[in-house]
Amino acid sequence: MKMVFAHDHYFIHHGEKVYSPGKLPYSAFTRYLHHFDQVTVLSRYKNDSSFSPYWTLASGHGMVFKKIENHSSLKSVLFTCHKNIIEIKDTLRGCDGVVVRLPSETGLITAKIARQMNIPYLVELVACPWDAMIGYGSLKGFLYAPVLSWRVRQAVKKAWGAIYVTGSFLQKRYPIKYNGVSASNVDLLPASLSVLNQRCDKIATSSGGPFKIGLIASLDSPHKGFDTIYRAVYRLKNKGVPVILEITGGGSKFKNSPLIDKLLLHDNIIFSGPKTSGEGIFSFLDTVDLYVQPSNQEGLPRAVIEAMSRACPVITSSAGGMPELCQRHYLHKPNDDHTLANNIEYLLKNRQEMLSMAHHSFNTARLYQPELLMKIRFDLFTRYKNHMLSLRNA
């Protein structure tokens, strides 16, 4: 049986192989290959003759990648590329199942064509389109937010089933009547008490600083709250709280932010570049004293769960599904650098509270262990495949 996966992710075509910048390696598709013999990916693409060691291989046995032209601009939304429509229709004609990851223009167009062709499809909802558009802070984003939200709401409502990365946040905004489940996209190491013990030892033996604050994020993303954490670090610096902010991730826009120059923060911020997924990220997290996610838009960020799995004390904004993870009295509203700075200062000066948060993080992350999430997805895809087989044999 053959399945189609549609999303706006940029895959990099390098020679005869296809790579992902990190979020969709081959291992991410094994959840589908348990049920389908072949997965055809409809996605945006880049052709690149150079090579980066931070790419992860996406191609492999059972994988086919179709190149879809970028249609995430306003013009492309209003006038969908005819070539893309033909490519999507041709691909769907030979498929036995469809998964669309939203929000994405490729996913929305594929869902619409699937409905026209009477093909039941599954939605993976990984973020809130309303928050994403508003988070850009532009007039265009503000005007398009209700339109995109309505389109996603309709796509979810008319789907056979949906997988939400949140426990309740996205479900309330984009409901589905049947076959809705909650399963984060995070991929953790097996839980081990030694991780918690090492973290508690680190906290108990910490001196007066400087304390390392960690953040994992693309430096080109306007949603990750870089200006908020920069201003918070500035406030802490002026109060004499010794902190170093280390950011790991690709991109350069917010690395070269004029705000860093204005606030004289070059000695307080380290940009360590992208880390390899898995061990590279977890090793980085083991070095930080506190993890912060000041985003103004999120679904349920994998980075936060990864940090919690290493028993990191965690502070986040109240965006998206993050209140499902973090203790409410340590949340701050998006763009509120004053509250964020106060929360960081309080924690760093209260060792007992840091120990309590380490336990909270570790215990929360245990709810996202691979075997638990795998069973949720496996059961849903089994039901979906059986439904598709029953339609084919009717």
Side-chain angles (χ1 to χ4, degrees), residues 23 103 126-138 140-142 144-145 148 215-229 253-254 291-299 301 304 316-320 322 332-336:
K23 294 182 179 180
V126 299
C128 175
W130 176 275
D131 290 350
M133 290 295 103
I134 296 298
Y136 282 113
S138 66
K140 186 187 299 183
F142 181 79
Y144 188 49
L148 181 59
L215 172 60
I216 302 169
S218 166
L219 284 154
D220 290 330
S221 172
H223 301 303
K224 297 301 180 180
F226 291 107
D227 288 354
T228 305
I229 187 61
K253 179 179 178 182
F254 287 94
Y291 185 83
V292 174
Q293 193 78 43
S295 309
N296 53 43
Q297 178 266 320
E298 287 289 357
V304 172
T316 75
S317 75
S318 57
M322 289 193 288
H332 63 277
K333 292 181 180 179
N335 304 311
D336 183 359

Side-chain angles (χ1 to χ4, degrees), residues 180-308:
V181 301
S182 173
S184 168
N185 284 326
V186 72
D187 189 10
L188 303 178
L189 296 175
S192 170
L193 281 176
S194 64
V195 172
L196 177 60
N197 292 335
Q198 289 171 10
R199 174 64 59 178
C200 291
D201 289 343
K202 179 178 174 63
I203 294 171
T205 58
S206 62
S207 58
F211 299 99
K212 184 191 287 189
I213 300 171
L215 172 60
I216 302 169
S218 166
L219 284 154
D220 290 330
S221 172
H223 301 303
K224 297 301 180 180
F226 291 107
D227 288 354
T228 305
I229 187 61
Y230 293 164
R231 289 192 295 265
V233 169
Y234 175 73
R235 288 178 180 274
L236 293 166
K237 178 181 178 181
N238 286 347
K239 287 184 176 182
V241 181
V243 296
I244 297 293
L245 171 65
E246 182 171 348
I247 302 174
T248 179
S252 60
K253 179 179 178 182
F254 287 94
K255 179 179 179 180
N256 300 317
S257 171
L259 188 61
I260 297 175
D261 296 323
K262 180 181 178 180
L263 302 180
L264 303 176
L265 294 178
H266 288 282
D267 292 336
N268 299 89
I269 303 177
I270 298 171
F271 297 100
S272 54
K275 298 280 192 291
T276 55
S277 59
E279 289 291 349
I281 290 294
F282 295 127
S283 295
F284 161 72
L285 289 168
D286 287 341
T287 70
V288 308
D289 297 293
L290 178 67
Y291 185 83
V292 174
Q293 193 78 43
S295 309
N296 53 43
Q297 178 266 320
E298 287 289 357
L300 198 72
R302 286 175 289 183
V304 172
I305 303 174
E306 289 170 338
M308 298 180 93

